[in-house]
């Protein structure tokens, strides 16, 4: 006889929405209302919360969280929530104000707690010198890289924090959250193995790519890829002519094989950089958001797999 969880798992494999699978299950009467700030985090929360939670996401698929402008409806979502999950590390610069404005009593859980923040060591000449931390943070591009989810090892930390946050808010669900998290963490272990295998298959001297903003630093650090970007770790400041010129010189000097578009960024900048350098456009990487239902990256795991396919196709030969 199949348990409810294995039925749900089977439904997910078959592409049936969890909502359908829940309708014939004995779900608790009142689900825990939770909010996740953006789509990738929302997918982690859904995997851990399962059918005990009712989740809403603020910044949806293919949307840019850095420059998001909250609406009155977002304040309503927060006001109704018991737990609010955020990335932190400066990713959602608008969140503190929104939490205050909403008057919510929800617990705010920072999903990156415990992750070692990556500082943008990058190729900005200003950042090359050792400087006191305060000064670095004041840099226009923002020195702390918020895109920690791009390392699968970090994703596991997000999941553990989400599990603990849900248990604190809904202790009766402890066993469910613990089991859901364990099952999902096992999938992330398998994903980690896939990433290592895919990157190992890319020749050493091809492991260099360009994206429009510096969103893959944790990925590069974890898996040994060199990533360059004309924009900083946020999309808030546009690349200057100087930034673009520097990238084009780097592509030529370092024989970078491919530049990549991002699902949250205007493709024109990268098209132009590709045209003015020897690099080809290697496809689209999902950086800061999942794809919509028509795209290949509706979950975090599918997003990483889709990025691996694009990287492998562009860099393998
Ligand atoms: Zn970003």
């Amino acid at each position: 006889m199949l348990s409810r969880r294995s039925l749900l798992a089977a439904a997910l494999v078959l592409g049936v929405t969890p909502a359908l699978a829940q309708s014939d299950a004995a779900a608790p009467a009142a689900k825990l209302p939770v909010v996740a700030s953006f789509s990738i985090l929302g997918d982690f929360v859904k995997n851990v919360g399962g059918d005990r939670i009712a989740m809403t996401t603020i910044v949806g698929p293919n949307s840019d969280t850095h420059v998001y402008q909250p609406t009155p409806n977002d304040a309503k979502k927060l006001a109704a929530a018991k737990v609010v999950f955020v990335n932190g590390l400066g990713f959602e610069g608008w969140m503190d104000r929104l939490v205050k404005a909403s008057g919510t009593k929800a617990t705010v859980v920072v999903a990156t707690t415990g992750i070692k923040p990556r500082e943008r060591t990058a190729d900005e000449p200003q950042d090359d010198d050792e400087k006191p931390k305060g000064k670095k943070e004041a840099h226009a591009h923002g020195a702390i890289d918020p895109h920690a989810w791009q390392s699968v090892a970090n994703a596991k930390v997000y999941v553990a924090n989400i599990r603990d946050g849900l248990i604190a808010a809904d202790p009766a669900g402890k066993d469910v959250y613990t089991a859901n998290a364990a099952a999902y963490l096992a999938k992330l272990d398998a994903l980690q193995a896939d990433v290592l295998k895919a990157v190992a298959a890319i020749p050493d001297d091809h492991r260099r790519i360009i994206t429009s903003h510096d969103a893959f630093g944790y990925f590069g650090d974890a898996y040994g890829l060199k990533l360059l970007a004309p924009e900083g770790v946020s999309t808030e400041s546009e690349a200057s002519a100087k930034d673009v010129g520097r990238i084009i010189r780097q592509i030529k000097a370092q024989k970078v094989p491919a530049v990549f578009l991002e699902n949250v960024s205007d493709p024109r900048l990268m098209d132009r950089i590709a045209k003015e350098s020897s690099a080809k456009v290697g496809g689209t990487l999902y950086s800061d958001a999942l794809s919509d239902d028509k795209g290949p990256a509706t979950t975090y795991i599918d997003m990483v797999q889709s990025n691996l396919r694009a990287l492998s196709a562009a860099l393998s030969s």
Side-chain angles (χ1 to χ4, degrees):
M1 179 136 162
L2 286 170
S3 73
R4 207 170 97 205
R5 274 196 46 238
S6 52
L7 275 175
L8 180 59
L12 288 169
V13 168
L14 293 170
V16 180
T17 66
L20 278 177
Q22 281 162 21
S23 61
D24 56 3
K31 297 184 180 211
L32 183 72
V34 307
V35 167
S37 58
F38 72 115
S39 55
I40 295 168
L41 183 58
D43 182 51
F44 294 147
V45 173
K46 254 192 276 178
N47 274 285
V48 180
D51 58 8
R52 284 190 74 88
I53 62 164
M55 200 202 54
T56 358
T57 301
I58 294 182
V59 185
N62 292 327
S63 298
D64 184 348
T65 302
H66 295 289
V67 295
Y68 183 72
Q69 303 206 324
T71 66
N73 194 37
D74 294 331
K76 278 189 206 152
K77 290 178 188 172
L78 285 195
K82 285 273 194 290
V83 193
V84 178
F85 292 97
V86 300
N87 185 77
L89 303 178
F91 188 49
E92 309 97 336
W94 38 267
M95 185 55 100
D96 286 351
R97 248 175 309 145
L98 182 61
V99 164
K100 276 207 192 84
S102 74
T104 185
K105 304 263 187 310
T107 310
V108 177
V109 174
V110 180
T112 52
T113 301
I115 288 173
K116 186 175 178 286
R118 172 183 177 268
E119 288 190 44
R120 194 183 187 229
T121 50
D123 314 280
E124 282 284 347
Q126 303 98 299
D127 284 347
D128 285 348
D129 313 321
E130 273 305 316
K131 276 185 279 181
K133 214 175 175 192
K135 251 188 166 174
K136 267 197 152 178
E137 277 165 0
H139 184 260
H141 281 144
I144 298 295
D145 182 346
H147 308 90
W149 61 85
Q150 292 292 356
S151 144
V152 179
N154 286 345
K156 293 177 66 177
V157 178
Y158 281 70
V159 170
N161 286 328
I162 291 164
R163 177 197 61 208
D164 296 348
L166 288 174
I167 292 172
D170 173 23
K174 183 177 178 186
D175 291 350
V176 174
Y177 299 135
T178 305
N180 286 352
Y184 188 61
L185 288 168
K187 290 184 191 170
L188 293 181
D189 283 335
L191 181 67
Q192 170 86 328
D194 288 347
V195 179
L196 292 170
K197 203 172 134 196
V199 175
I202 299 171
D204 276 355
D205 59 346
H206 286 192
R207 291 182 198 166
R208 286 192 285 267
I209 66 163
I210 312 273
T211 55
S212 35
H213 88 296
D214 195 8
F216 291 91
Y218 290 91
F219 185 92
D221 288 353
Y223 306 115
L225 250 78
K226 173 91 175 140
L227 297 123
L228 303 169
E231 289 173 8
V233 292
S234 172
T235 53
E236 276 169 296
S237 51
E238 280 180 27
S240 66
K242 201 172 133 220
D243 294 329
V244 172
R246 174 174 53 84
I247 283 285
I248 289 171
R249 281 194 305 278
Q250 280 173 328
I251 293 174
K252 288 178 177 166
Q254 302 183 20
K255 300 191 171 59
V256 176
V259 305
F260 288 83
L261 310 178
E262 284 174 57
N263 66 322
V264 299
S265 298
D266 186 333
R268 284 174 296 187
L269 173 64
M270 299 316 284
D271 280 335
R272 189 185 134 206
I273 289 174
K275 262 193 207 100
E276 292 180 26
S277 67
S278 49
K280 65 187 166 189
V281 175
T284 297
L285 295 178
Y286 291 84
S287 51
D288 294 19
L290 299 175
S291 70
D292 62 20
D293 289 346
K294 293 183 209 82
T298 56
T299 67
Y300 173 76
I301 289 175
D302 285 350
M303 176 189 97
V304 173
Q305 296 284 12
S306 173
N307 287 348
L308 283 183
R309 284 194 300 275
L311 291 170
S312 300
L315 305 179
S316 285
S317 55

